[in-house]
């Protein structure tokens, strides 16, 4: 782990220490797969309890979304009891609905491409308010694959191909090759 950011040092292109969580280790010191949250590197070979982890992520994210909606319902009831007026109530409900929709979209797109870190930092507050959308995006994606697996698999396969191209050796000396006439 990086001391400064808390992110793993072993990404798709770095030949560092194998990450925790299983998966098929590359041969010959090639690129290492980047671990996914909750899955480690088990997404590479769909081993080490991959199916159970996917089911756990689906159930957990759906349960967390349901509990979150209950908490939001209690907050709504608190606003209604406080008699702040219909304008404030509509504003709060619209804020959570819009932020959840934007968080869902942002999280869903993040499963297919890397986001700009500066843009993500600027959206941190919006994503925190729309946490229900993020949880639902995790639920729906975990029904088909580990969230982020497709992106990581593409990057890992590109890194493996680049490593294979760099390490492929020619046989023989090309300058001593006989010329055909």
């Amino acid at each position: 782990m990086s001391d400064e950011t808390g992110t793993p040092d072993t990404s798709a292109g770095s030949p560092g220490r194998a990450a925790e969580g299983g998966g098929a280790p590359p041969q010959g010191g090639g690129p290492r797969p980047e671990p996914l949250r909750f899955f480690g590197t088990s997404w590479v070979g769909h081993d080490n309890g991959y199916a159970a982890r996917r089911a756990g992520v689906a159930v957990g994210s759906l349960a967390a979304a349901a509990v979150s909606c209950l908490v939001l319902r209690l907050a709504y009831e608190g606003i209604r009891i406080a008699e702040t007026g219909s304008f404030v109530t509509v504003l709060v409900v619209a804020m959570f609905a819009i932020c959840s929709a934007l968080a869902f979209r942002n999280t869903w797109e993040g499963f297919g491409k890397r986001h700009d870190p500066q843009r993500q930092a600027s959206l941190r507050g919006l994503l925190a308010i729309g946490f229900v959308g993020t949880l639902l995006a995790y639920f729906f994606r975990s029904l088909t694959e580990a969230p982020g697996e497709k992106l990581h698999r593409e990057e890992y396969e590109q890194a493996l191909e680049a490593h294979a191209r760099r390490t492929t050796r020619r046989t023989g000396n090309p300058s001593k090759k006989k010329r055909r006439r």
Side-chain angles (χ1 to χ4, degrees):
M1 295 289 249
S2 171
D3 291 335
E4 294 176 16
T5 61
T7 57
D9 286 335
T10 56
S11 62
S14 65
R17 181 175 58 88
E20 299 292 325
Q27 299 175 3
R32 306 265 182 203
E34 185 175 348
L36 289 174
R37 181 181 298 159
F38 306 121
F39 293 91
T41 56
S42 65
W43 60 268
V44 176
H46 292 189
D47 56 356
N48 293 338
Y50 172 82
R53 290 178 191 210
R54 237 182 69 199
V57 167
V59 169
S61 61
L62 187 61
V67 169
S68 300
C69 287
L70 178 65
V71 170
L72 290 176
R73 171 72 178 169
L74 293 173
Y76 172 78
E77 289 297 322
I79 290 172
R80 203 174 61 117
I81 290 170
E83 296 179 2
T84 56
S86 61
F87 180 71
V88 173
T89 304
V90 169
L91 268 176
V92 169
V93 170
M95 174 191 64
F96 276 105
I98 291 168
C99 288
S100 291
L102 292 173
F104 180 91
R105 180 174 178 239
N106 186 59
T107 304
W108 192 264
E109 287 176 351
F111 296 143
K113 66 176 177 145
R114 297 260 180 200
H115 287 300
D116 178 30
Q118 290 179 338
R119 180 177 180 265
Q120 285 299 102
S122 68
L123 291 175
R124 187 171 291 139
L126 182 132
L127 296 176
I129 294 169
F131 60 96
V132 175
T134 300
L135 291 169
L136 290 175
Y138 264 87
F139 168 71
F140 287 120
R141 181 59 84 165
S142 64
L143 294 177
T144 57
E145 67 175 7
E149 178 181 347
K150 181 180 178 186
L151 171 67
H152 284 76
R153 188 169 302 284
E154 289 171 358
E155 291 175 350
Y156 181 57
E157 288 174 357
Q158 288 174 354
L160 285 175
E161 289 173 12
H163 177 72
R165 282 193 305 270
R166 285 192 310 269
T167 58
T168 303
R169 300 172 191 234
R170 294 184 296 200
T171 58
N173 186 347
S175 65
K176 293 183 178 180
K177 198 175 202 180
K178 292 182 182 179
R179 296 186 182 194
R180 296 182 188 187
R181 295 185 193 239

